[in-house]
Amino acid sequence: MTPKQLQEILDDLRNLLSENEIVEFKEAKNNYDFSKLGKYFSAISNEGNLGGKPYGWLVFGVEDKEHSIVGTTYRSHRSDLDKLKGEIANKTTNRISFIDIHEVDTADGRVIMFQIPAAPKGIPVAFDGHYYARDGEELSPLNIEKIERIRAQATKEDWSAVVVAAATIGDLDEDAIAVARKNYKSKFPDKAEDVDSWDDITFLNKAKVTSKGKITRTALILLGKDESEHFLNPADVKIRWKLVDEKNDDIDYDIFGLPLILSVEKVYAKIRNIKYRYMQEGTIFPAEVSKYEPFSIREAINNCIAHQDYTKNARINVIEMPDQLVFTNQGSFIPGNVEKVVIEDAPEESYRNGFLATAMFNLKMVDTAGGGIKRIFNFQRARFFPLPDYDLSNEKVKMSLSGKILDMDYARLLAQNKDLTLEEIMMLDKVQKKQQLTRDEEKHLKSKRLIEGRKPNFFIGLRVAQKTGQKADYTKTKGFDKQYYLDLIIKAIKEHKDLSRKDVDELLWSKLPDWMTDKQKKNKVGNLLSELRTSDLICNKGTFTNSKWSLK
């Protein structure tokens, strides 16, 4: 938007007789509570959806009675404002964030206009796990009636349930149907004898793959012959497997189409699931495991099939790297939050492809009780590997599965602390991956003395280090007390009469904490020299660029 357009919008908003469900004014002269800002984001987003509006506004620098401009210095640097988009996304459903954050310079002061998108159809927007709304000008929880009104928007046609009138049982693959029968009997052993007496149409109806004997898109996706793919056009129902090297250069690839119930096993067979060996703590004998738990591979591929947005006409991708697998499918992650699914063991409340998901459950391809993802997490936990990474940005789900130990300290921690909860392990997994912790996560891990260090450079705490035999590593990571470094500089100057800055750097560099960057180490040494100088213990007899530090 141009400055003129923004000014016109601001004038229109200020001319409102009062605030409403999608417009909120705040003075925020200097600062504003982040949590409250997030609650307003959720509330205005949900109310925008219910009111049929494309977006709403949260305005800083304007008082809420007369709507006069008072100005704001909130996040005065543009880069800090832009960071807010990611900070909000980290806490909201499907990582929804501001459409834009506009700054308007007026004669009466700076105004910030947060442009908040309406919640997507069928998906209420939560902030930090809670839904908010507006009762007039008041912020309030989103009541059940409003939640159901938004969710009811999703009761549209299930793409996977549509009957393909021109298709017949002859368009389905006999081998695929045989595998489907075998899986169904395994899933429902009490019906095994009956299954053998059913003809194909009866079986497919019972398994909820067909609809009253008619061929559905689900039937074609799972059991269709390869030459039947034209019935699903323009959807591109294929799985692409690609092998890449350390530089991400392509080595090999293959593409698998209908029927996907067979293609899952073909993709699985392509993956080089070789043995991985690592030394166990306290023994000279190595542990040996497959790089990937077979269940995790199949579950990840089947999840992509079940949750793919086929209207986007894109393929499912399985990328095999030297030490990890990456699975991607199109479409937003409907539960919104992976942590909620894993920690609360919560099944999804709705499915993009409900008919397809039910059929895959009946054919023992997926677990619609919500436990599949959690089982993958627990398999990684049991082998001391990093937990799966989920990237839910850009209306796509990308899951990365590691096939090796990333950090031996983390592995030792899991091996020695069986009482850690899965939630705590997920927090510690962020630490080993150098990912940012939330304030609550940081507070929790520090309260249990599981981590130490300064944000964002945390490391394993002393109590854990002592318990897991990492005392030397702990001291190397944490470093020494400041007085140790000061005494070391004085001692070295006494021995050598004088030291250059390069000499001091070489003296201390390897003794400073491992978590420090080179820049941080440089600053630390400079601060130590400054402290000795201001204490009249040393002086610089050289120049600024060619220092010669001597005792005073």
Side-chain angles (χ1 to χ4, degrees), residues 285-311:
F285 299 103
E288 182 177 278
V289 296
S290 298
K291 290 179 68 175
Y292 310 105
E293 173 62 39
F295 170 87
S296 299
I297 298 174
R298 291 186 174 95
E299 178 72 9
I301 299 171
N302 283 322
N303 278 343
C304 288
I305 295 170
H307 301 294
Q308 171 85 335
D309 186 346
Y310 293 97
T311 65

Side-chain angles (χ1 to χ4, degrees), residues 28-33 60 72-75:
K29 290 184 178 179
N30 300 307
N31 205 350
Y32 196 74
D33 181 71
F60 282 5
T72 177
T73 59
Y74 177 80
R75 298 208 180 194

Side-chain angles (χ1 to χ4, degrees), residues 91 286 290 355:
K91 294 277 190 175
S290 298
F355 195 86

Side-chain angles (χ1 to χ4, degrees), residues 53-303:
K53 305 294 183 182
Y55 49 79
W57 297 95
L58 175 61
V59 183
F60 282 5
V62 177
E63 60 89 28
D64 63 353
K65 300 300 181 187
E66 300 297 328
H67 302 169
S68 57
I69 295 174
V70 296
T72 177
T73 59
Y74 177 80
R75 298 208 180 194
S76 55
H77 295 292
R78 183 67 216 187
S79 59
D80 292 332
L81 267 184
D82 289 335
K83 287 177 184 177
L84 193 60
K85 295 178 181 178
E87 293 168 11
I88 285 289
N90 288 335
K91 294 277 190 175
T92 60
T93 304
N94 287 355
R95 290 187 54 81
I96 293 171
S97 191
F98 302 103
I99 294 175
D100 210 341
I101 303 175
H102 308 281
E103 291 180 279
V104 182
D105 292 318
T106 74
D108 297 311
R110 172 176 175 257
V111 173
I112 302 175
M113 300 170 63
F114 297 95
Q115 190 175 5
I116 299 171
K121 288 187 180 297
I123 306 175
V125 171
F127 176 77
D128 207 12
H130 299 280
Y131 301 108
Y132 296 92
R134 304 288 298 283
D135 287 332
E137 299 180 16
E138 298 297 320
L139 187 67
S140 65
L142 186 66
N143 63 50
I144 189 65
E145 185 275 330
K146 288 185 175 181
I147 290 177
E148 290 305 317
R149 223 189 317 156
I150 293 176
R151 285 178 174 164
Q153 298 163 358
T155 57
K156 57 184 181 180
E157 180 184 70
D158 180 348
W159 184 92
S160 67
V162 171
V163 169
V164 183
T168 68
I169 190 72
D171 293 304
L172 303 186
D173 186 279
E174 292 181 1
D175 291 337
I177 294 175
V179 170
R181 283 179 176 272
K182 178 182 175 183
N183 289 357
Y184 185 85
K185 288 194 287 186
S186 175
K187 183 74 175 180
F188 305 103
D190 56 314
K191 299 180 182 179
E193 290 186 14
D194 295 333
V195 173
D196 291 335
S197 66
W198 295 339
D199 61 24
D200 285 345
I201 282 294
T202 301
F203 162 67
L204 295 174
N205 283 339
K206 295 281 189 182
K208 299 181 180 179
V209 176
T210 54
S211 178
K212 296 181 180 179
K214 296 178 180 178
I215 306 302
T216 62
R217 285 172 174 162
T218 286
L220 291 168
I221 289 171
L222 300 180
L223 310 175
K225 293 179 178 177
D226 186 50
E227 59 267 28
S228 301
E229 64 177 355
H230 66 276
F231 287 119
L232 298 172
N233 285 338
D236 191 9
V237 187
K238 292 183 176 68
I239 304 173
R240 175 170 48 201
W241 164 82
K242 185 169 71 169
L243 178 67
V244 300
D245 61 17
E246 292 85 352
K247 298 178 181 179
N248 209 33
D249 292 329
D250 293 358
I251 298 175
D252 194 7
Y253 80 95
D254 211 337
I255 297 173
F256 304 93
L258 306 182
L260 293 194
I261 195 171
L262 302 183
S263 290
V264 171
E265 291 305 315
K266 293 176 182 177
V267 175
Y268 176 81
K270 281 285 185 181
I271 294 171
R272 292 149 175 74
N273 196 13
I274 60 177
K275 295 295 182 182
Y276 175 80
R277 295 174 178 83
Y278 60 93
M279 296 304 297
Q280 291 181 300
E281 198 73 19
T283 177
I284 62 172
F285 299 103
E288 182 177 278
V289 296
S290 298
K291 290 179 68 175
Y292 310 105
E293 173 62 39
F295 170 87
S296 299
I297 298 174
R298 291 186 174 95
E299 178 72 9
I301 299 171
N302 283 322
N303 278 343

Side-chain angles (χ1 to χ4, degrees), residues 385-387 406-407 410 427-434:
F385 285 11
L387 300 182
L406 180 63
D407 184 342
Y410 173 80
M427 296 178 196
L428 289 164
D429 189 57
K430 287 185 178 181
V431 175
Q432 75 156 338
K433 293 173 181 172
K434 308 300 180 186

